[in-house]
Amino acid sequence: MSAVTSTILVVEDDAIVRMLIVDVLEELEFSVLEAADAEEALAQVRNTDQVIDLMMTDVGLPDMDGKQLATLVRELRPSLPILFASGYAENIDAPAGMQVIAKPFSIDQLRDKVKSMLP
């Protein structure tokens, strides 16, 4: 019997960056959902049949920023761990249960950060 795979929702408006993150997470044997913006992400989060173990979101999204998205997501799923990816990580004050990874990040950094946040 194989270990249960964690599902990660990746929210990133840059399609190339999103594809790279998804590829890395899939290579690390995570199940990955994708969203290009906050609206798509919220649609996934609102789907109560959809398991999501972690949301990784870019801070700079076109329709609302990652922190606003995180606030809405937490209303729907209060215990969901959230990882912010940002080129300006040092400027972000992450609330409880949320962490920040600085862009650009290595595969190892991403793996370690994600694994540290999953139960």
Side-chain angles (χ1 to χ4, degrees):
M1 191 171 144
S2 64
V4 177
T5 304
S6 296
T7 300
I8 300 173
L9 171 57
V10 174
V11 190
E12 167 62 69
D13 59 306
D14 183 317
I16 294 168
V17 174
R18 188 173 67 247
M19 185 181 72
L20 289 169
I21 294 170
V22 168
D23 282 352
V24 167
L25 292 172
E26 286 178 342
E27 276 183 32
L28 296 169
E29 301 188 346
F30 292 110
S31 175
V32 184
L33 302 167
E34 296 180 53
D37 57 33
E39 272 311 306
E40 277 184 35
L42 287 168
Q44 301 255 28
V45 172
R46 285 188 187 110
N47 175 1
T48 51
D49 295 333
Q50 179 61 64
V51 173
I52 302 173
D53 299 299
L54 173 77
M55 181 177 79
M56 177 175 178
T57 181
D58 189 28
V59 173
L61 294 170
D63 46 354
M64 69 174 77
D65 73 40
K67 292 189 95 171
Q68 291 169 309
L69 172 60
T71 302
L72 293 172
V73 166
R74 276 296 179 82
E75 288 171 11
L76 298 160
R77 300 192 187 215
S79 61
L80 184 66
I82 296 174
L83 175 59
F84 294 108
S86 172
Y88 312 96
E90 64 283 352
N91 301 337
I92 295 171
D93 185 29
M98 303 185 195
Q99 293 189 36
V100 180
I101 189 166
K103 287 177 169 178
F105 45 79
S106 70
I107 291 171
D108 290 347
Q109 285 173 314
L110 180 59
R111 180 197 62 222
D112 294 348
K113 180 69 81 171
V114 167
K115 288 194 169 170
S116 76
M117 293 180 72
L118 290 168

